[in-house]
Amino acid sequence: MFWIVCFSSVPSNSRVLMLLGQLERMNGEAMLKDVETARQVTAKILHLIQTQEKSGKEVMSKGSSGMEVILASLEVSSLVNTTGRRVGVFVSKGGTGVLFQLLINASKEFPPSEELMLQLHSLLAKVGPKDRKFGVKARLTGALNVTINLMKQNLLNNKLLLPCLQVLRVYSSNLVNAVSLGKNGVVELMFKIVAPYTVDFVNEQHECETNARRAVDGGFVTVLLALYLDWHRNDTRHRHMLIRKGLLVSLRNITNIKLGRKAFIEADGMRILYNTSTECLPVRTLDLLINTSSLIMRKCFPKNRLPVPTIKSAFHFQLPNVPAAGPVAQLYNQPPGVDDVVDESDDNEEADADTENDTENDDDDKDLLAANDDIETDLNKLHPKRNPGRPLEELRVYERFFLELSEDFQVAKMSILTNRNSSCIALSAKHSPVNSTRHIQSPLLLGGIASRRVGGGGSNFGSDCGSEGTEDEGGEGAVLEVPDTALLLPLHDPDLYVEMVKGTRSVPEYAEVAYPDYFGHVAPTFKEPLLERVYGVQRSKIYQDIERLIHPNDILDKAVYDLDIPSCPVIEDNGESLKFNSQFESGNLRKAVQVRKYEYDLVLNSDVNSNHYHQWFYFEVSGMRVGTVYRFNIINCEKSNSQFNYGMQVLMYSVQEAISGRPRWVRTGADICYYKNHFARSSIAAGGQKGKSYYSMTFSTTFSHKDDVCYFAYHYPYTYSTLKMHLAKLEALRTPQIYLRQDNLCETLGGNGCPLLTITAMPESNSNDHICQFRNRPLIFLSARVHPGETNASWVMKGTLEFLMGTSPLAVSLREGFIFKIVPMLNPDGVINGNHRCSLSGEDLNRQWLNPNPELHPTIYHTKSLLQYLVHMQRTPLVFCDYHGHSRKKNVFMYGCSVKETVWQSNITASSSDLQEDLGYRTLPKILSQIAPAFSMGSCSFVVERSKESTARVVVWREIGVQRSYTMESTLCGCDQGKYKGLQIGTRELEEMGAQFCVSLLRLKRLTGLRNHQHLLDLENDIMTHTKVVRLVKWRILQSHLHTQLMHEGTHML
Ligand SMILES: [Zn+2]
């Protein structure tokens, strides 16, 4: 039809125009039928154009519609290109040559007609791929250069540039052309064109946003995608990676703005990039393209809502008083109906400044930068200012926790001591491990009920069913023999554990016991190396996530466990889904959603009275199939990176394995990775920032036993009931020479006791000298587990306690040399309720030391008071150490406090008198680095940070005046130095660390000698000189902060 309209205007007085008319009269069908005629006509036109300038002009002249005829005939041909036959025919008749000639002629006009150039290039882009000689012809006719020059002259003309780019792509499929294009600076040209959209986003945010907006308005996204797809299909030998990458980078930058992301979605960008990337996957050299593609897709992935009604913890605890400015008031004072899961309006224009390789190093750099901002620069605050705080009259009540300082031992000492056993620890007197095995009901044959009800009536899991003849208790003969873990584990006793659970008070009032806590954990004897990351894991996981969008019909989206509904757990007995449970001490799974047949999204509960802190997890799974690979995704993680990306695996406990005599947590999981996901994080959850996402921790695993009950945990669980059991068992290790007292320091908000231990040696005799020596022993003050998610701290503490109660000569010397005051669990409520970070007040207790509230932070308030009491009694501890776990670093290390090292790290100027400082704070970590294989001096820091001014370490240093005040951080992951290099950390290594800590105190004692501090200083410097050479070598290799430490030490060694 278009055909006929054009025809009417063709003058008939020239040969070329006649031929054109003839060509025109042949409609598309005719051209196909009478190909020979068409060929002849085309050839004649071509000949005339090539030989007679006049003919060319006639075709091109304004009055003539010759151009339109040819273009229209091409248009018709290419419209019907389902088979490509018409284009093929046109090509075979020399049509390409005609087009090139027209292009050359048109280029001679000044300026060339933009409309014509546009049409010609659009057609060439369509015809080109059908003509095997297209590239050669383009080069020989000079069309190649015409296109390049045209582009160079029209760098800002998107409309014209895009078809040119497409043609250029076809030209370059010819190898000679590709080389020649490269020589002619075409790659540079490409980048000049896409440059406005490839400006580094972070550096040129404003400029880039403007360009991105312009690009979206110009419909550039669709064209870029088409171009990319075109290159993807045709650059089969991957010679033009740079151009393809350039196109993606443009898309990446355009999609930094919301408008761009919208345009990308509308242009079906997700599917296009998903499909092209999937095709690229087998070719390793295309990684750059795949990585950039996935970056774009992740950015544009529509944000999903976390599948929960609110991000506030599923459990609420009524506080005795709620400070108006506190976090709980803020949490619950939101007007009803406010959705805290996603932001109401998604109008954020902010884009995540993603990097393509979020490596550990990047992260550390960020940490370092942040750390530099955080250094305390106020010299007044830097100098320890002893602040005894409460008046002595008030503190006198704490005298009862220091009976060893006043007792006279004239009466029968043992009876005094045993009577002083705190009320919070109930000793199990009746337990005697007579049988080597005990019978328990199998949970497995009882319909998969995984845990036992304790307390209440009926059959009690904890009752000793060790006697024979209990087979019928389980019904259907459901009894299995279980090795008595009490025999395998000196400090474990299942019966005692259940006794302890009965006295543990949780907010949800748990009535079940998890098997691992009941059976106990025997550390495996095999090594558990850091998991080597398989290449491309994160990518394939992300692609599986994107598939949820591409193939929505494959997604089940079935909630199988949901704490937010009263009937939880949601049990469906069709055998198609796993069963989940975490309603036991330290459990914290909120929801499990079956996404695909063998894939589950898991949502962790927030700490009680808070709406975040998701990291720790502990849950139970049953109803599994043997040998099937299951994928689990914890979808509401918050930290930007995790050791799960660097070799750490999750822990799994199999009840079947336990029953078979292997009661243990083992590192497990393949394809583990941690990455930013597509679940929106509301500004309420992200500290006011909009447009943030959660992170996924994903792992895959298979189960080896049918009808098993398995548990997964972030780290080796250590419940409050476990602590109470261990403390009770410690009593059994007491000898007449050991002074062990267990007190209840206070009651927590949740109504649980906070144990305080005193360990030392009994005085040698009742003589005044010996009593005097006994009372004057230096004090060591230890605490742990202020952060409930850091269970490793409890295992280290267990090692310390066991060592201190041991019979080794070292332990004897330690007890004779020191009085140990130990609060092994500063946050029992947090531990019991499955919190990661907080207590029931919804606050981090290790940020409350400056001004602890007796009602809201009782354990901190009273622990600090103990220390204040000691200051009044002029018995300031020699060492204070709070045990923690570190989720981002490997090895074990310490943080201490030093004015000098803090000043050194900052820019503040200080007088030399400000820098007078005893180096004693370095001794203990130094000794540890020599004797404890997991300990790394290089990771230690002695800088006082502003953000840490209310932590135990800083407050005990500054206010209590303990020079050796530390946090000891143990990795959750593993070691990258020393004897355990390349291995994940286990409870054996953690307990060893706790024991080595004690040994280091003994060395410290030897150095402190007769408490002559000058003498001590010399000795400490002595120790350091031993390692001088090693350190100097390191000095040359390492820089920055280690450098500072060395400079510092160097001056003292001279
Ligand atoms: Zn911590």
Side-chain angles (χ1 to χ4, degrees):
M1 303 111 272
F2 177 53
W3 196 249
I4 290 153
V5 176
C6 295
F7 174 60
S8 58
S9 63
V10 176
S12 52
N13 58 351
S14 107
R15 179 121 193 268
V16 72
L17 296 182
M18 264 172 57
L19 290 168
L20 273 172
Q22 195 182 341
L23 184 64
E24 208 167 11
R25 276 190 296 277
M26 303 174 67
N27 64 22
E29 281 305 309
M31 205 197 287
L32 271 183
K33 284 179 195 149
D34 194 1
V35 284
E36 192 47 35
T37 316
R39 192 197 63 80
Q40 282 168 3
V41 173
T42 315
K44 280 176 194 163
I45 296 173
L46 183 58
H47 178 75
L48 283 169
I49 292 171
Q50 282 170 337
T51 52
Q52 301 175 6
E53 206 176 325
K54 176 174 147 277
S55 300
K57 276 193 178 151
E58 272 173 1
V59 174
M60 302 301 299
S61 68
K62 279 211 166 121
S64 149
S65 62
M67 257 322 293
E68 283 86 346
V69 171
I70 293 169
L71 296 180
S73 65
L74 289 171
E75 195 67 49
V76 168
S77 322
S78 56
L79 275 177
V80 200
N81 66 352
T82 42
T83 59
R85 278 168 69 209
R86 296 212 172 155
V87 176
V89 169
F90 179 79
V91 168
S92 70
K93 303 306 156 214
T96 324
V98 177
L99 284 179
F100 282 142
Q101 201 56 52
L102 289 172
L103 186 66
I104 308 280
N105 290 339
S107 71
K108 288 174 183 158
E109 305 253 318
F110 287 102
S113 154
E114 186 183 321
E115 189 58 30
L116 187 57
M117 284 299 184
L118 187 66
Q119 274 188 302
L120 277 169
H121 279 96
S122 303
L123 285 170
L124 283 169
K126 287 176 185 164
V127 173
K130 303 289 173 198
D131 186 347
R132 270 183 296 154
K133 298 213 165 128
F134 188 78
V136 184
K137 288 180 193 164
R139 188 170 68 249
L140 296 179
T141 55
L144 190 65
N145 288 332
V146 170
T147 305
I148 294 172
N149 289 332
L150 190 69
M151 287 169 72
K152 284 181 179 165
Q153 286 153 16
N154 290 278
L155 280 179
L156 294 173
N157 186 342
N158 282 347
K159 206 174 146 202
L160 181 60
L161 277 177
L162 296 167
C164 290
L165 281 168
Q166 284 177 303
V167 175
L168 202 60
R169 206 275 307 143
V170 190
Y171 290 161
S172 65
S173 56
N174 174 286
L175 185 58
V176 181
N177 281 2
V179 173
S180 128
L181 284 173
K183 280 185 190 155
N184 280 317
V186 168
V187 174
E188 290 83 349
L189 181 65
M190 283 290 300
F191 279 101
K192 224 182 248 175
I193 294 160
V194 290
Y197 315 105
T198 51
V199 178
D200 184 346
F201 184 69
V202 183
N203 297 334
E204 306 280 346
Q205 189 159 3
H206 181 73
E207 193 181 324
C208 191
E209 268 192 43
T210 317
N211 281 327
R213 231 170 283 279
R214 200 186 300 144
V216 175
D217 292 342
F220 204 49
V221 175
T222 315
V223 184
L224 275 177
L225 279 166
L227 268 178
Y228 180 70
L229 192 59
D230 188 45
W231 280 90
H232 169 80
R233 290 206 180 122
N234 294 287
D235 182 26
T236 47
R237 295 195 188 168
H238 314 308
R239 290 197 196 107
H240 302 288
M241 289 278 289
L242 277 178
I243 290 172
R244 291 160 74 180
K245 163 99 184 180
L247 293 168
L248 286 178
V249 169
S250 306
L251 277 169
R252 188 188 75 191
N253 291 337
I254 291 170
T255 49
N256 274 337
I257 62 165
K258 193 187 164 195
L259 213 60
R261 293 192 286 275
K262 195 166 161 263
F264 178 82
I265 293 286
E266 282 166 4
D268 206 19
M270 290 298 280
R271 191 178 303 270
I272 292 172
L273 289 198
Y274 175 81
N275 289 338
T276 50
S277 305
T278 314
E279 285 165 25
C280 289
L281 278 175
V283 187
R284 182 97 175 229
T285 49
L286 300 182
D287 273 4
L288 264 181
L289 303 182
I290 300 168
N291 290 344
T292 313
S293 295
S294 51
L295 202 74
I296 298 166
M297 284 188 281
R298 290 172 75 187
K299 202 161 45 180
C300 297
F301 201 128
K303 290 273 193 292
N304 283 24
R305 182 197 169 88
L306 211 60
V308 287
T310 170
I311 52 169
K312 287 191 274 290
S313 170
F315 307 121
H316 171 60
F317 178 79
Q318 190 62 51
L319 293 173
N321 73 67
V322 181
V328 175
Q330 280 181 23
L331 190 67
Y332 288 101
N333 285 353
Q334 285 157 14
V338 165
D339 186 355
D340 58 358
V341 184
V342 289
D343 289 322
E344 242 169 66
S345 62
D346 178 31
D347 56 357
N348 84 87
E349 283 292 327
E350 160 208 4
D352 286 333
D354 273 310
T355 53
E356 277 170 65
N357 309 300
D358 32 342
T359 65
E360 192 171 30
N361 288 338
D362 288 352
D363 227 52
D364 284 352
D365 288 348
K366 269 185 245 156
D367 280 357
L368 210 61
L369 282 177
N372 280 335
D373 280 348
D374 193 24
I375 295 171
E376 182 60 76
T377 51
D378 182 346
L379 273 177
N380 278 323
K381 284 192 170 178
L382 271 180
H383 282 289
K385 289 226 170 47
R386 221 174 254 204
N387 173 10
R390 304 165 64 189
L392 183 58
E393 294 69 49
E394 261 185 69
L395 292 168
R396 278 202 198 286
V397 292
Y398 294 94
E399 195 179 333
R400 68 190 176 96
F401 297 114
F402 297 96
L403 292 173
E404 69 280 5
L405 301 183
S406 56
E407 255 170 308
D408 64 7
F409 293 93
Q410 297 305 312
V411 283
K413 49 199 177 188
M414 282 311 293
S415 68
I416 293 175
L417 291 175
T418 39
N419 288 343
R420 290 267 150 66
N421 278 325
S422 138
S423 54
C424 75
I425 305 299
L427 244 177
S428 160
K430 64 166 189 152
H431 176 70
S432 52
V434 182
N435 303 327
S436 62
T437 61
R438 68 183 60 216
H439 299 278
I440 65 147
Q441 294 172 318
S442 160
L444 322 160
L445 304 178
L446 288 174
I449 297 164
S451 315
R452 301 313 166 91
R453 303 267 155 192
V454 293
S459 73
N460 190 328
F461 196 38
S463 67
D464 187 4
C465 40
S467 57
E468 304 304 316
T470 51
E471 267 83 358
D472 33 3
E473 271 186 17
E476 300 163 40
V479 172
L480 289 172
E481 291 212 332
V482 177
D484 190 340
T485 42
L487 287 185
L488 294 167
L489 290 162
L491 288 193
H492 192 86
D493 178 347
D495 293 344
L496 185 56
Y497 183 77
V498 174
E499 281 303 309
M500 293 304 161
V501 168
K502 288 178 190 170
T504 298
R505 299 175 67 175
S506 62
V507 173
E509 300 186 340
Y510 291 135
E512 296 174 23
V513 175
Y515 270 128
D517 303 318
Y518 173 79
F519 284 142
H521 159 71
V522 181
T525 47
F526 49 84
K527 287 181 178 171
E528 297 184 301
L530 290 164
L531 185 71
E532 255 185 65
R533 185 146 170 170
V534 180
Y535 180 80
V537 167
Q538 175 171 313
R539 195 164 68 192
S540 69
K541 296 296 163 186
I542 288 168
Y543 276 62
Q544 286 177 28
D545 289 354
I546 292 170
E547 274 168 35
R548 297 185 188 196
L549 195 75
I550 311 277
H551 306 295
N553 292 338
D554 296 351
I555 302 305
L556 299 174
D557 243 338
K558 174 179 158 196
V560 293
Y561 180 79
D562 191 350
L563 270 191
D564 288 294
I565 60 169
S567 59
C568 180
V570 185
I571 303 271
E572 299 225 11
D573 262 327
N574 58 2
E576 293 296 311
S577 311
L578 290 176
K579 281 177 204 145
F580 289 83
N581 182 28
S582 75
Q583 298 185 72
F584 44 77
E585 193 174 339
S586 295
N588 75 335
L589 182 65
R590 182 181 196 141
K591 188 165 185 175
V593 180
Q594 187 173 15
V595 188
R596 296 182 177 97
K597 196 168 182 191
Y598 300 114
E599 182 179 350
Y600 294 84
D601 277 358
L602 309 175
V603 181
L604 303 180
N605 194 18
S606 303
D607 285 6
V608 178
N609 280 353
S610 105
N611 60 13
H612 61 300
Y613 304 108
H614 321 112
Q615 198 168 333
W616 163 257
F617 58 86
Y618 186 14
F619 60 89
E620 174 199 290
V621 168
S622 57
M624 61 282 281
R625 292 184 186 200
V626 175
T628 301
V629 179
Y630 287 89
R631 176 180 169 186
F632 298 97
N633 315 304
I634 294 174
I635 59 170
N636 61 339
C637 302
E638 294 161 305
K639 290 208 165 181
S640 61
N641 206 342
S642 160
Q643 282 292 316
F644 283 119
N645 276 338
Y646 307 102
M648 183 163 85
Q649 290 177 288
V650 302
L651 286 148
M652 185 173 91
Y653 193 104
S654 152
V655 172
Q656 287 279 21
E657 284 288 304
I659 287 172
S660 311
R662 292 175 295 276
R664 64 195 177 196
W665 288 99
V666 287
R667 298 279 185 172
T668 194
D671 291 356
I672 300 180
C673 69
Y674 187 96
Y675 58 92
K676 189 187 281 183
N677 65 24
H678 57 279
F679 288 97
R681 194 162 152 197
S682 69
S683 50
I684 294 173
Q689 284 180 287
K690 283 190 165 186
K692 292 280 164 194
S693 304
Y694 283 104
Y695 290 78
S696 279
M697 193 288 281
T698 181
F699 66 97
S700 300
T701 195
T702 52
F703 299 97
S704 342
H705 302 288
K706 196 170 172 284
D707 295 328
D708 203 356
V709 177
C710 290
Y711 293 79
F712 291 100
Y714 179 62
H715 198 74
Y716 303 90
Y718 190 102
T719 64
Y720 172 67
S721 302
T722 302
L723 171 72
K724 289 194 294 180
M725 175 190 68
H726 281 154
L727 293 185
K729 297 290 283 184
L730 276 184
E731 291 281 351
L733 301 179
R734 182 212 300 271
T735 65
Q737 285 73 43
I738 299 178
Y739 182 106
L740 164 69
R741 207 178 66 239
Q742 301 193 21
D743 291 295
N744 185 16
L745 176 62
C746 61
E747 191 135 287
T748 65
L749 282 170
N752 295 289
C754 177
L756 165 69
L757 273 72
T758 306
I759 302 174
T760 186
M762 293 296 280
E764 250 177 83
S765 77
N766 291 346
S767 73
N768 275 348
D769 278 3
H770 285 147
I771 297 289
C772 190
Q773 188 276 340
F774 172 84
R775 287 184 187 160
N776 282 315
R777 292 170 188 165
L779 275 127
I780 305 289
F781 205 112
L782 308 176
S783 59
R785 208 71 191 282
V786 71
H787 293 142
E790 295 162 7
T791 56
N792 47 357
S794 280
W795 290 96
V796 176
M797 182 54 86
K798 178 172 181 273
T800 294
L801 292 175
E802 255 176 275
F803 187 84
L804 285 180
M805 290 300 292
T807 52
S808 71
L810 288 175
V812 173
S813 306
L814 265 173
R815 290 192 297 262
E816 288 171 352
F818 297 110
I819 297 171
F820 288 87
K821 285 286 175 189
I822 301 172
V823 185
M825 196 173 273
L826 278 167
N827 189 357
D829 290 344
V831 170
I832 295 164
N833 293 292
N835 285 6
H836 175 69
R837 189 83 180 169
C838 299
S839 74
L840 293 184
S841 72
E843 293 163 294
D844 180 344
L845 287 182
N846 203 30
R847 293 293 183 278
Q848 311 303 329
W849 280 76
L850 269 181
N851 196 16
N853 179 309
E855 264 192 307
L856 293 174
H857 323 117
T859 59
I860 305 302
Y861 180 83
H862 294 293
T863 306
K864 186 174 177 183
S865 296
L866 291 177
L867 288 156
Q868 289 173 328
Y869 174 81
L870 287 170
V871 173
H872 272 294
M873 303 303 290
Q874 304 194 315
R875 294 300 302 272
T876 308
L878 180 70
V879 172
F880 172 86
C881 188
D882 192 19
Y883 294 2
H884 283 252
H886 205 288
S887 66
R888 303 268 293 275
K889 290 186 171 166
K890 296 201 166 65
N891 311 314
V892 182
F893 50 94
M894 274 178 157
Y895 292 137
C897 303
S898 152
V899 181
K900 239 183 232 183
E901 301 204 16
T902 306
V903 168
W904 209 285
Q905 291 281 320
S906 67
N907 301 319
I908 49 174
T909 44
S911 66
S912 58
S913 67
D914 279 327
L915 298 178
Q916 288 291 324
E917 189 176 35
D918 188 325
L919 264 181
Y921 64 89
R922 275 190 161 264
T923 320
L924 200 60
K926 194 78 233 172
I927 297 169
L928 278 171
S929 72
Q930 290 164 359
I931 64 171
F935 196 91
S936 158
M937 190 69 189
S939 305
C940 295
S941 165
F942 304 94
V943 170
V944 181
E945 306 94 334
R946 282 198 212 109
S947 64
K948 303 286 175 64
E949 71 167 4
S950 200
T951 60
R953 163 177 60 106
V954 176
V955 170
V956 172
W957 170 71
R958 188 180 286 152
E959 285 187 24
I960 307 296
V962 177
Q963 191 210 4
R964 296 178 184 86
S965 175
Y966 306 103
T967 23
M968 185 159 76
E969 304 271 355
S970 301
T971 179
L972 290 154
C973 174
C975 295
D976 60 11
Q977 52 85 51
K979 193 169 107 188
Y980 304 132
K981 183 175 178 177
L983 299 179
Q984 297 184 75
I985 201 118
T987 53
R988 197 192 311 274
E989 292 76 30
L990 292 166
E991 291 183 51
E992 179 195 58
M993 189 62 232
Q996 296 286 20
F997 180 83
C998 298
V999 176
S1000 74
L1001 290 171
L1002 207 57
R1003 286 218 189 167
L1004 182 73
K1005 175 174 166 277
R1006 226 176 44 225
L1007 294 171
T1008 44
L1010 298 162
R1011 303 175 64 190
N1012 174 337
H1013 281 267
Q1014 189 46 52
H1015 180 54
L1016 166 70
L1017 239 181
D1018 295 344
L1019 281 167
E1020 289 186 354
N1021 285 339
D1022 234 28
I1023 287 195
M1024 288 170 192
T1025 324
H1026 285 309
T1027 49
K1028 185 177 172 182
V1029 177
V1030 181
R1031 298 216 128 236
L1032 285 175
V1033 172
K1034 270 193 182 170
W1035 190 10
R1036 300 222 169 86
I1037 301 163
L1038 303 173
Q1039 293 179 353
S1040 70
H1041 64 296
L1042 182 58
H1043 177 104
T1044 319
Q1045 290 178 3
L1046 289 161
M1047 291 290 287
H1048 187 120
E1049 266 176 29
T1051 55
H1052 282 267
M1053 286 186 284
L1054 293 174

